């Protein structure tokens, strides 16, 4: 029977109980049928677990597996040329308005075969797996026709057939206006975004609905119509909000009981209580802040004061956040946004699980949750955010089984 006790480890349970990281020294985790049966100090291991097979983790640090709750990692081509242009002085918005940016990735994504999209996505997935990630959210948004958007989500779902990872897919057709709808954003919403959402939902491809609420994206009124369609289908929403300007997108996400509001550099501190009231997770994306050389910081102090839960994600995408390391995003969240290393790890575990509606299954080491754990060569969980790069993962516990790297 698939029972095992993982013993002799430093457990960062990420249980929110007043002890930093929910730390347990000389810990043990009992797992059965892929679920956590018990966790605590080995000295307290209940007698019923004493004769279960044991794996000695020789003092390694064990955390919940990490969760990347905001990515765009299925796409064609890359935008390294645009990187050079931005370094030469062109802004992200200028490049987007000139038909570059997201639209250039749309052309490359439409031109790529499903197999090509899958193979390039798997490289980025492998990078994330090497960072101890077990759940990845993947958005559409580079197809911008009904069929191309659905194709992206099918490719995203196919990742699960090739790697030991759970994928959550998000409908983000309202990401950019395709050239065939130039100057007709409302028609694009009515003819592509909403009917496409219904078709993708009917195929079981939609775990959540997102939009890019921005001057170079869609207005709050347009996003509202997409959110109403999501609500009719019973699908939760989330939003790219306040990344480049304050259009009050986060408040709109709160009105629709959104899972999360993401980016938030231009969120007004006075709107933070609305997120707190509705339990909307603030997803921080420091990779985009870094790569766009943004200087406006999200209102971290106000988020903290009002008890808004903060997640951290890579935003892995070819334009604004060309990265595939969640640990690097955690490091950036600390150095650029002044999160504590504990907040950063909570942001990539417990709070990221909540941003995906998966809090009952993932994000902390407690009985009943999935035995999806990361085993690290590190003496303390602070190290995971502190050390930049490197290969710190000793192995992963996947479905309750230890896979040493
Ligand atoms: O999260 N802001 C909109 N979407 C992405 C960028 C996508 C792109 O530039 O390709 C983001 O930053
Ligand atoms: Fe994004």
């Amino acid at each position: 029977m698939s029972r095992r006790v993982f013993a002799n480890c430093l457990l960062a349970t990420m249980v929110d109980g007043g002890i930093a990281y929910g730390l347990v020294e000389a810990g043990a985790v009992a797992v059965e049928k892929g679920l956590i049966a018990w966790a605590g100090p080995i000295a307290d291991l209940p007698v019923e677990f004493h004769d279960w097979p044991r794996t000695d983790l020789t003092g390694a640090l064990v955390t919940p597996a990490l969760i990347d709750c905001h990515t765009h990692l299925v796409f064609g081509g890359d935008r390294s040329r645009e990187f050079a242009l931005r370094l030469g002085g062109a802004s992200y918005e200028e490049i987007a308005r000139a038909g570059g940016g997201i639209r250039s990735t749309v052309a490359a994504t439409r031109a790529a075969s499903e197999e090509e999209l899958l193979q390039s996505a798997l490289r980025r997935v492998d990078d994330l797996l090497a960072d101890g990630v077990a759940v990845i959210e993947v958005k559409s948004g580079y197809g911008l026709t009904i069929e191309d958007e659905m194709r992206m989500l099918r490719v995203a779902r196919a990742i699960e057939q090739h790697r030991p990872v759970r994928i959550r897919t998000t409908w983000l057709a309202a990401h950019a206006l395709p050239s065939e709808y130039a100057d007709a954003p409302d028609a694009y919403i009515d003819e592509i975004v909403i009917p496409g959402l219904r078709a993708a939902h009917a195929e079981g491809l939609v775990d959540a609905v997102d939009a890019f609420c921005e001057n170079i994206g869609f207005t709050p009124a347009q996003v509202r119509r997409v959110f109403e369609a999501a609500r009719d289908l019973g699908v939760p929403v989330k939003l790219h909000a306040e990344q480049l300007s304050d259009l009050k997108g986060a408040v709109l996400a709160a009105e629709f009981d959104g899972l999360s509001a993401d980016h938030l550099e231009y969120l007004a501190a006075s709107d933070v209580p609305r997120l707190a009231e509705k339990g909307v997770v603030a997803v921080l994306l420091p990779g985009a802040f870094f790569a766009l050389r943004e200087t406006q910081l999200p209102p971290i102090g106000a988020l903290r004061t009002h008890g808004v839960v903060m997640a951290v994600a890579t935003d892995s995408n070819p334009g604004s956040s060309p990265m595939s390391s969640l640990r690097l995003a955690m490091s950036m969240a600390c150095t650029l946004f002044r999160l504590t290393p504990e907040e950063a790890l909570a942001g990539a575990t417990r709070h990221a699980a909540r941003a995906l509606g998966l809090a009952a299954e993932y994000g902390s080491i407690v009985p009943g949750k999935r035995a999806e754990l990361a085993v690290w060569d590190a003496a303390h969980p602070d190290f995971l955010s502190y050390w930049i790069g490197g290969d710190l993962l000793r192995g992963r516990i996947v479905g309750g089984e230890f896979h040493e790297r």
Side-chain angles (χ1 to χ4, degrees):
M1 205 53 256
S2 59
R3 294 170 155 182
R4 184 161 293 278
V5 173
F6 295 95
N8 191 14
C9 52
L10 174 64
L11 277 180
T13 64
M14 302 314 288
V15 171
D16 191 14
I19 297 168
Y21 293 102
L23 217 54
V24 176
E25 302 207 23
V29 187
V31 307
E32 182 172 29
K33 293 183 187 154
L35 299 178
I36 297 166
W38 185 88
I42 186 85
D44 298 346
L45 186 72
V47 66
E48 67 252 46
F49 303 110
H50 284 193
D51 61 355
W52 287 20
R54 280 195 194 191
T55 298
D56 184 342
L57 293 176
T58 66
L61 169 67
V62 174
T63 69
L66 304 193
I67 297 171
D68 196 350
C69 67
H70 180 142
T71 86
H72 309 247
L73 62 67
V74 171
F75 59 84
D78 71 74
R79 305 228 294 274
S80 50
R81 178 71 202 127
E82 188 179 297
F83 174 58
L85 287 175
R86 280 194 284 107
L87 291 173
S91 76
Y92 183 68
E93 280 156 297
E94 282 161 5
I95 290 170
R97 288 187 194 285
I102 293 174
R103 277 194 200 170
S104 75
T105 298
V106 170
T109 303
R110 288 179 181 176
S113 69
E114 286 191 28
E115 186 57 25
E116 286 165 344
L117 290 175
L118 177 65
Q119 290 308 323
S120 73
L122 288 176
R123 293 181 58 173
R124 297 181 274 277
V125 168
D126 286 339
D127 291 344
L128 290 172
L129 292 179
D131 259 358
V133 170
V135 184
I136 305 172
E137 186 256 14
V138 182
K139 301 172 193 296
S140 70
Y142 295 124
L144 311 187
T145 67
I146 294 177
E147 190 44 42
D148 286 305
E149 288 286 295
M150 288 176 66
R151 207 166 70 106
M152 283 187 70
L153 295 187
R154 286 188 207 113
V155 168
R157 287 283 175 89
I159 292 167
E160 286 187 345
Q161 263 65 70
H162 298 266
R163 296 293 187 275
V165 67
R166 175 109 174 247
I167 300 291
R168 299 293 274 183
T169 45
T170 298
W171 181 256
L172 176 60
H175 191 203
L177 200 57
S179 48
E180 55 284 10
Y181 278 92
D183 303 321
D186 289 301
Y188 177 66
I189 299 281
D190 290 336
E191 293 167 18
I192 304 296
V193 178
I194 293 173
L197 165 59
R198 295 198 182 110
H201 178 261
E203 204 179 299
L205 290 171
V206 182
D207 296 315
V209 170
D210 192 353
F212 186 25
C213 187
E214 192 54 67
N215 293 321
I216 56 167
F218 295 88
T219 66
Q222 288 158 351
V223 172
R224 174 180 294 279
R225 289 196 286 126
V226 179
F227 280 6
E228 282 166 353
R231 186 162 60 190
D232 289 346
L233 294 169
V235 177
V237 302
K238 49 181 59 207
L239 192 62
H240 283 73
E242 278 78 82
Q243 181 185 8
L244 308 169
S245 60
D246 182 11
L247 297 189
K248 306 290 172 201
V251 170
L252 182 64
E255 185 190 326
F256 281 82
D257 300 299
L259 287 171
S260 66
D262 302 36
H263 285 288
L264 303 177
E265 280 83 342
Y266 289 83
L267 175 66
S270 55
D271 289 332
V272 169
R274 305 292 293 280
L275 300 186
E277 276 161 31
K278 291 297 191 85
V280 179
V281 177
V283 176
L284 305 175
L285 304 167
F289 175 94
F290 170 81
L292 298 180
R293 296 194 298 148
E294 180 59 69
T295 53
Q296 171 81 26
L297 286 162
I300 302 294
L303 292 168
R304 229 183 239 134
T305 305
H306 289 277
V308 175
V309 157
M310 293 182 280
V312 175
T314 60
D315 197 13
S316 181
N317 77 67
S320 64
S321 192
M323 69 187 293
S324 46
S325 168
L326 186 51
R327 272 212 310 112
L328 180 56
M330 290 159 60
S331 169
M332 288 174 168
C334 295
T335 302
L336 301 174
F337 293 172
R338 300 292 177 90
L339 263 61
T340 66
E342 185 184 356
E343 285 174 324
L345 185 58
T349 54
R350 192 170 79 237
H351 299 161
R354 195 164 135 186
L356 296 180
L358 293 175
E361 293 176 66
Y362 294 89
S364 57
I365 303 177
V366 293
K369 289 202 185 184
R370 289 178 189 260
E372 298 288 326
L373 310 173
V375 182
W376 306 93
D377 280 319
H380 189 275
D382 283 348
F383 200 87
L384 301 178
S385 293
Y386 149 77
W387 195 260
I388 299 169
D391 189 8
L392 305 185
L393 194 73
R394 185 186 294 186
R396 307 168 65 219
I397 294 171
V398 180
E401 313 252 333
F402 187 40
H403 297 252
E404 198 147 8
R405 291 188 70 226

